[in-house]
Amino acid sequence: MNAPSTIDLARMSAMDLAYAAHLLKGVRDATLSGQRPRILPRPVIGDSWGRMLLGGVDPDHDFRSRLLAEEELEERRRTSPLLDVLPVLRNALVSVADAAQHIMVVCDAEGRVLWREGSAAVLRQADAHGLEPGADWGEDVVGTNGLGTPLVVRRPVQVFSAEHFVQTHHPWTCAGAPVTDPRDGRLLGVVDVSGPLQTIHPATLALVDSVAKLAEARLRERHVRALDRLRAVAAPVLARLEGRAVAVDTHGWTAAVTGMPPADRLALPKSFGAGRTWLPSLGSCLVEPLPGGWLLRAEDPGDAPRPVAATRLVLDVSSPRRWTLSVLGGAHDWTHELSPRHAELLFLLCTYRTGRTASGLAEDMFGDPARTVTVRAELSRVRRYLGGLLAHRPYRFQEDVDVDVIMPDSPADLLPHSMAPAVRAARRLAEP
């Protein structure tokens, strides 16, 4: 018996749209009733539906949270890093959206709609769906959609008609892409193009993703200029110092260095400020403020800090969006916030305590054992802050270190951004 095929959204957009929407509705209804549909939903949509079912989102009636008060909405707009790239988003998307009977929508990292512009007629339709400035379009509030779902999976997503979990959104199509802070990978929000389902086009998602990447490039340019300003201040200071010292910005990016090999970035602990501190890459050091960053002066006169001593590692993946690694039990405890990729790799290493080769991890991550270059490069970055706690050949945690993993309450919240085959399998195994 042949396995069911998976929905191809590009092919569907070329069909009669009423028929395509009807077909998707059948897939959704069968899935929600516990049956196996003739055609499977796309994995990103099926995973989202699973989260909605576990989270208790009503598939038949939309829920509208309290709109932000005007003062709070204006404050969020004023303080959002996306404000700096709003002209980029407007120039690239609003004219296109207006001509195509779409609207551009921008939300923050919590799913709150900050800005929306475009076709006046479509804006009125958006009001009817509750897609208004100040509304909460997080996935856990309004179900699978082009704003909330990219916030969870941290990649571009197009949602057409009955791929929306909530039935009242089925006349709608949307395509959204996340925008991240290039300094630390923090999720800033999502830019989305939405409109009536008749306006679907397979190229919309690629357009939105390209514009999101353009916005990130502009943010990166601003970061480079900020580092240049910090370097101009720090270089004369470092020139007068003996020993090892480095000037970094508030995210740990190196602006200037003396007495030690340069590194692109230092892993700073969550709690960091002026005074005496300890870093895995420097050892004990004195921290002094600089305009736009910090001056770190290593107190250890040796060429390198002593190896990290610890008895316990705690990987916290209980949150669907933020993950941390804590090193405990040594002379200096510390906690480091993880990128999505490092959270995946460290979770897999916690799963395989006896060790995993680069090809094994590549298969776990990508389903392709040949992608070892990416795995080795990322683990090289991990070793900069874990040092001797992470061995290699095969990659593994040292045997004398206890490793604990704090898991989420719901299996669906285990690294929900991850499409790694081994992580997806772990979610299934954790289901009751």
Side-chain angles (χ1 to χ4, degrees), residues 281-333:
S281 53
L282 282 180
S284 181
C285 57
L286 290 174
V287 181
E288 303 172 23
L290 289 173
W294 304 99
L295 172 65
L296 282 62
R297 302 173 61 181
E299 294 187 301
D300 183 355
D303 292 332
R306 292 183 294 275
V308 177
T311 59
R312 185 175 175 229
L313 295 178
V314 179
L315 176 66
D316 188 345
V317 291
S318 60
S319 167
R321 294 193 188 178
R322 291 198 171 186
W323 318 277
T324 61
L325 179 71
S326 297
V327 178
L328 309 172
H332 305 278
D333 295 346

Side-chain angles (χ1 to χ4, degrees), residues 26-310:
V27 172
R28 172 186 172 275
D29 291 348
T31 303
L32 267 57
S33 63
Q35 302 174 25
R36 187 172 179 82
R38 183 168 54 89
I39 303 176
L40 297 177
R42 295 182 291 141
V44 67
I45 299 298
D47 289 350
S48 177
W49 288 353
R51 291 191 294 272
M52 300 308 94
L53 289 169
L54 289 172
V57 175
D58 188 341
D60 298 317
H61 305 92
D62 65 3
F63 173 80
R64 303 187 184 183
S65 63
R66 177 187 63 84
L67 292 177
L68 295 176
E70 189 64 29
E71 295 80 7
E72 184 177 355
L73 175 60
E74 288 302 322
E75 177 65 13
R76 289 200 183 207
R77 286 172 169 168
R78 187 185 64 81
T79 58
S80 171
L82 296 178
L83 178 63
D84 294 329
V85 295
L86 190 58
V88 174
L89 305 179
R90 282 178 173 143
N91 292 340
L93 291 177
V94 173
S95 61
V96 175
D98 192 28
Q101 293 297 293
H102 277 83
I103 58 173
M104 180 195 76
V105 185
V106 180
C107 74
D108 64 16
E110 295 180 0
R112 289 285 184 174
V113 176
L114 299 183
W115 297 280
R116 46 164 225 173
E117 301 178 27
S119 166
V122 179
L123 287 171
R124 289 192 294 271
Q125 294 181 54
D127 289 340
H129 288 287
L131 187 53
E132 307 172 70
D136 187 346
W137 270 67
E139 190 189 59
D140 58 342
V141 174
V142 300
T144 309
N145 72 90
L147 290 165
T149 301
L151 285 175
V152 174
V153 300
R154 299 179 71 102
R155 63 182 182 278
V157 180
Q158 190 164 17
V159 184
F160 171 64
S161 187
E163 289 186 316
H164 289 90
F165 184 76
V166 178
Q167 185 173 351
T168 52
H169 300 148
H170 289 184
W172 210 244
T173 181
C174 48
V179 180
T180 59
D181 191 326
R183 298 171 299 179
D184 57 8
R186 180 170 56 98
L187 198 57
L188 301 179
V190 165
V191 58
D192 164 272
V193 169
S194 293
L197 66 86
Q198 292 84 2
T199 61
I200 185 174
H201 193 285
T204 303
L205 186 63
L207 171 65
V208 175
D209 186 32
S210 296
V211 173
K213 287 183 168 57
L214 178 60
E216 291 175 349
R218 294 295 171 84
L219 291 172
R220 191 172 295 111
E221 291 171 4
R222 290 174 59 89
H223 181 220
V224 170
R225 290 196 297 270
L227 278 177
D228 287 342
R229 290 192 296 270
L230 176 58
R231 186 174 299 112
V233 172
V237 176
L238 292 178
R240 296 192 296 268
L241 297 178
E242 296 182 357
R244 295 182 299 129
V246 58
V248 298
D249 70 4
T250 55
H251 298 273
W253 290 94
T254 301
V257 63
T258 186
M260 55 187 284
D264 290 339
R265 188 182 182 192
L266 300 184
L268 302 182
K270 292 179 67 177
S271 176
F272 189 77
R276 181 173 280 103
T277 190
W278 184 89
L279 298 177
S281 53
L282 282 180
S284 181
C285 57
L286 290 174
V287 181
E288 303 172 23
L290 289 173
W294 304 99
L295 172 65
L296 282 62
R297 302 173 61 181
E299 294 187 301
D300 183 355
D303 292 332
R306 292 183 294 275
V308 177

